[in-house]
């Protein structure tokens, strides 16, 4: 089996070759013109500094590209799984309804479960479409005045039906009006809530708060999950980035949710902070 040469290995070999050639030609020049030794050493030193600075920058870019490529591959695997799971569930429910003589109550239960799976698919497709539009700068973010309190409450109620094994508690101050793109801001709330669910165990509590403080609108979502290590907090809003090692991670996801959250909030002039929840878990705070 033919082995591939790693990009960084080739990069290191190239740098070593350039340095060797510089030293070789520098030595030959000094031997030919000993009176220019100081000049050659000075020029060599400047060139080496520039070379190492450029090499370091190039190495970082190569590493980022390798990491992005790895995340993209993992994204494709995740999307395949995220699509296949609800589709298989819907297929099974419909086949059961067709093949068995079920009473009306069981049929309605299967149909409700199928609709919940369809909503999961709809959310996944919506995130992928929005991420593409954001990347292409093709979304215009149409702004309007709307009741954020009512909109957040709708998102919470919708997720209460989907997330039956988590306890979602809300404390929403009524009649908070805001100017922004209602569609994408609802996507922000939905993604923050779903993110809290992914990293929380069944039966744990998730809290969402919306209130005003010092003429600012603040949205908080906190969970009692596994938390986020400090070294990973700056990376979680990168596209395709997901917490943990790919070979040991058990949580579902595509790595698009928090990327969309950050991009939408940046467009609205809002900020988002992530901190540790007490005693366990994470807390996301959005300030408009």
């Amino acid at each position: 089996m033919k082995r591939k040469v790693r990009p960084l290995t080739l990069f290191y070999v190239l740098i070593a070759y350039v340095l060797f050639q510089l030293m070789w030609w520098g030595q030959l020049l000094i031997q030919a013109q000993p009176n220019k030794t100081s000049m050659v050493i000075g020029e060599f030193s400047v060139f080496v500094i520039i070379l190492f600075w450029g090499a370091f920058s190039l190495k970082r870019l190569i590493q980022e590209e390798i990491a992005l490529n790895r995340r993209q591959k993992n994204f494709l695997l995740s999307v395949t799984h995220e699509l296949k799971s609800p589709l298989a569930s819907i297929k099974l429910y419909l086949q059961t309804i067709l093949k068995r003589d079920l009473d009306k109550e069981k049929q309605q239960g299967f149909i409700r479960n199928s609709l919940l799976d369809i909503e999961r698919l709809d959310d996944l497709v919506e995130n992928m479409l929005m991420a593409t539009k954001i990347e292409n700068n093709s979304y215009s973010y149409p702004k309007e005045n709307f009741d954020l309190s009512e909109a957040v409450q709708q998102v919470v109620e919708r997720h209460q039906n989907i997330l039956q094994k988590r306890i979602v508690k809300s404390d929403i101050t009524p009649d908070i009006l805001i100017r922004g793109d209602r569609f994408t801001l609802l996507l922000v709330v939905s993604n923050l809530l779903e993110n809290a669910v992914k990293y929380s165990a069944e039966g744990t509590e998730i809290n969402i708060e919306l209130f005003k403080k010092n003429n600012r609108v603040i949205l908080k979502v906190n969970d009692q999950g596994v938390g986020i290590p400090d070294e990973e907090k700056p990376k979680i809003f990168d596209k395709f980035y997901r917490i943990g090692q790919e070979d040991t991670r058990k949580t579902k996801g595509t790595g698009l949710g928090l990327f969309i959250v950050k991009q939408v909030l940046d467009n609205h002039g809002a900020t988002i902070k992530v901190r540790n929840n007490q005693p366990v878990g994470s807390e996301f705070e959005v300030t408009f």
Side-chain angles (χ1 to χ4, degrees):
M1 185 176 177
K2 189 176 180 180
R3 297 183 62 184
K4 294 182 179 179
V5 179
R6 293 185 177 182
L8 284 179
T9 301
L10 185 61
F11 174 76
Y12 291 136
V13 171
L14 181 61
I15 294 298
Y17 175 77
V18 171
L19 283 174
F20 175 78
Q21 288 295 324
L22 283 173
M23 294 173 64
W24 173 256
W25 285 106
Q27 183 181 2
L28 291 179
L29 187 58
I30 290 173
Q31 289 176 353
Q33 300 181 3
N35 60 323
K36 294 186 178 181
T37 300
S38 299
M39 183 191 73
V40 172
I41 293 175
E43 293 290 338
F44 177 78
S45 301
V46 171
F47 190 87
V48 167
I49 292 172
I50 295 174
L51 177 65
F52 274 105
W53 176 78
F56 174 78
S57 301
L58 187 57
K59 176 191 173 185
R60 186 171 58 183
L61 288 174
I62 292 174
Q63 289 176 325
E64 289 176 355
E65 190 66 27
I66 292 173
L68 178 60
N69 184 58
R70 188 183 298 117
R71 293 201 300 267
Q72 287 175 330
K73 289 181 180 179
N74 292 329
F75 165 76
L76 292 175
L77 293 174
S78 299
V79 167
T80 301
H81 177 76
E82 292 282 328
L83 289 172
K84 188 175 181 179
S85 180
L87 285 173
S89 177
I90 293 169
K91 181 179 180 181
L92 180 61
Y93 283 131
L94 294 178
Q95 287 177 335
T96 304
I97 291 173
L98 287 174
K99 292 181 180 179
R100 296 187 181 183
D101 186 17
L102 302 175
D103 56 49
K104 186 175 180 180
E105 184 178 349
K106 286 186 177 180
Q107 286 185 11
Q108 289 181 343
F110 284 174
I111 292 172
R112 281 194 297 269
N113 290 336
S114 297
L115 289 174
L116 292 178
D117 285 325
I118 291 173
E119 286 191 17
R120 284 178 56 195
L121 288 172
D122 186 56
D123 289 342
L124 177 62
V125 172
E126 202 65 68
N127 271 346
M128 289 191 293
L129 287 174
M130 181 53 62
T132 302
K133 290 178 180 178
I134 289 173
E135 284 280 279
N136 296 334
N137 295 316
S138 59
Y139 189 75
S140 60
Y141 295 96
K143 304 290 196 302
E144 62 177 322
N145 295 319
F146 70 97
D147 189 334
L148 183 62
S149 302
E150 181 184 353
V152 172
Q153 187 62 47
Q154 289 176 358
V155 174
V156 172
E157 290 175 357
R158 175 174 173 268
H159 281 74
Q160 288 282 17
N161 297 326
I162 301 174
L163 313 172
Q164 299 173 353
K165 296 181 180 179
R166 273 81 174 179
I167 303 168
V168 180
K169 291 188 175 181
S170 59
D171 184 6
I172 300 172
T173 301
D175 302 322
I176 293 181
L177 302 179
I178 196 172
R179 181 169 180 79
D181 178 16
R182 178 187 174 93
F183 175 73
T184 54
L185 288 178
L186 288 183
L187 206 57
V188 165
V189 179
S190 180
N191 277 324
L192 288 176
L193 200 51
E194 289 179 6
N195 185 73
V197 171
K198 287 176 188 175
Y199 296 96
S200 301
E202 294 181 2
T204 57
E205 190 173 290
I206 296 169
N207 291 282
I208 180 167
E209 301 176 67
L210 180 68
F211 57 94
K212 271 191 171 184
K213 183 178 180 182
N214 298 328
N215 294 323
R216 296 179 182 271
V217 176
I218 298 176
L219 172 71
K220 286 186 179 182
V221 179
N222 62 62
D223 60 66
Q224 299 173 356
V226 296
I228 303 173
D230 290 338
E231 64 272 14
E232 297 207 57
K233 286 175 183 174
K235 307 174 186 176
I236 60 174
F237 298 106
D238 293 345
K239 190 177 182 182
F240 303 132
Y241 188 83
R242 298 180 65 207
I243 297 172
Q245 299 297 323
E246 293 298 331
D247 53 352
T248 59
R249 185 189 297 114
K250 296 181 181 180
T251 56
K252 298 178 181 179
T254 60
L256 292 178
L258 291 181
F259 166 76
I260 292 172
V261 166
K262 185 66 167 64
Q263 298 298 315
V264 170
L265 292 177
D266 284 348
N267 180 272
H268 285 79
T271 60
I272 182 167
K273 296 179 181 178
V274 56
R275 57 175 65 95
N276 296 330
N277 193 24
Q278 299 299 329
V280 293
S282 301
E283 178 180 87
F284 288 82
E285 180 179 297
V286 178
T287 303
F288 295 94

